[in-house]
Amino acid sequence: MAQSVSQRQLAKLLNVSEGAVRGAIRANRISRLPGGLIDPDAARAAWIATTDPVRTKVRTSEKVRTQGTHPRAVVRTETEAREAVTLIARILAEEGMRDDGKGIDFGKVRTAELILKARQRHLDQAEQEGTLVDRAAAEKLFFDMAREGRDAWLSWPARVGIPMAEEIKIDPTTGKVDPRSLVAVLSDYVRQHLAEMGEPSDPEWKAPK
């Protein structure tokens, strides 16, 4: 544990007013030690976990102090509040951060925000590099290719049925189709059909919107 400090010293360490520290102590956001001093490490962790970064006086710009770096989201109903908490919890869980049972504090909110910003930068970079494709274009291409393949196979039996029948051998002892001959002829015609269909060409993706 770091050396204990007074309220005034803690205010300097946190770069806030001494009045802000006193208010945090009154609200039980920061705890005193038995002798009246404060553990600076525990106090700093408690301050980060319970202080709204938009309202903190650590910021210097007047615009940032009053508005934050982004417009503040307004939660108007209890349902919206639950949805916000659920979203933050899901983002943290996706990154492997287990729920510690302490609920959502401002530290976790900032972590989720940083994760979202990192994801957005990754998407922006992928778009600039041309590796990000438009979902609607991809779905349309997949549908068109599947339809072409379906149509090709639907028309195939009528096209090859007669020549296949002429090549398939009949077992003279039973008067029935020779199974081995049927498999061999069918396999040849399937391979021929696949060769005619060819390999899919490289798609021309539309620029993502």
Side-chain angles (χ1 to χ4, degrees), residues 6-194:
S6 65
Q7 287 183 179
R8 180 174 299 179
Q9 291 171 324
L10 179 62
K12 291 181 179 180
L13 289 174
L14 297 178
N15 195 24
V16 298
S17 68
E18 190 174 350
V21 172
R22 285 197 298 269
I25 293 174
R26 286 196 301 270
N28 293 322
R29 290 164 45 211
I30 293 177
S31 301
R32 290 178 180 272
L33 296 173
L37 296 178
I38 304 169
D39 178 355
D41 293 337
R44 185 185 297 275
W47 182 273
I48 291 173
T50 60
T51 302
D52 187 340
V54 172
R55 294 183 178 179
T56 179
K57 295 182 179 179
V58 173
R59 301 183 185 274
T60 55
S61 166
E62 179 66 25
K63 180 178 180 181
V64 172
R65 283 203 301 269
T66 57
Q67 297 181 1
T69 55
H70 297 281
R72 295 174 60 188
V74 179
V75 178
R76 299 181 177 84
T77 66
E78 184 179 349
T79 299
E80 291 179 349
R82 286 197 298 268
E83 291 175 351
V85 170
T86 300
L87 174 61
I88 293 170
R90 178 169 60 81
I91 293 170
L92 297 177
E94 289 173 354
E95 296 299 321
M97 300 179 64
R98 296 182 178 179
D99 184 6
D100 56 11
K102 297 180 180 179
I104 300 298
D105 56 31
F106 290 115
K108 293 178 181 178
V109 171
R110 284 199 298 277
T111 300
E113 182 183 14
L114 290 173
I115 291 171
L116 289 178
K117 287 182 178 179
R119 292 178 178 178
Q120 185 60 52
R121 284 196 297 270
H122 177 72
L123 291 176
D124 292 342
Q125 182 178 0
E127 181 177 353
Q128 293 173 3
E129 294 175 349
T131 58
L132 186 66
V133 300
D134 182 76
R135 177 174 178 173
E139 290 178 345
K140 182 179 184 303
L141 176 64
F142 177 81
F143 176 79
D144 291 344
M145 293 180 64
R147 181 172 56 188
E148 290 177 2
R150 178 202 63 187
D151 293 344
W153 283 108
L154 286 175
S155 62
W156 179 70
R159 183 164 58 87
V160 301
I162 294 177
M164 279 183 60
E166 294 175 347
E167 296 182 28
I168 295 174
K169 297 179 181 179
I170 302 297
D171 188 336
T173 59
T174 63
K176 297 180 179 179
V177 172
D178 183 351
R180 293 184 179 81
S181 174
L182 173 61
V183 171
V185 173
L186 181 60
S187 297
D188 288 341
Y189 274 85
V190 168
R191 283 193 291 268
Q192 180 182 348
H193 184 54
L194 291 175

Side-chain angles (χ1 to χ4, degrees), residues 189-209:
Y189 274 85
V190 168
R191 283 193 291 268
Q192 180 182 348
H193 184 54
L194 291 175
E196 292 173 352
M197 293 176 66
E199 295 293 333
S201 58
D202 292 334
E204 296 182 1
W205 300 106
K206 296 180 180 179
K209 298 179 181 178

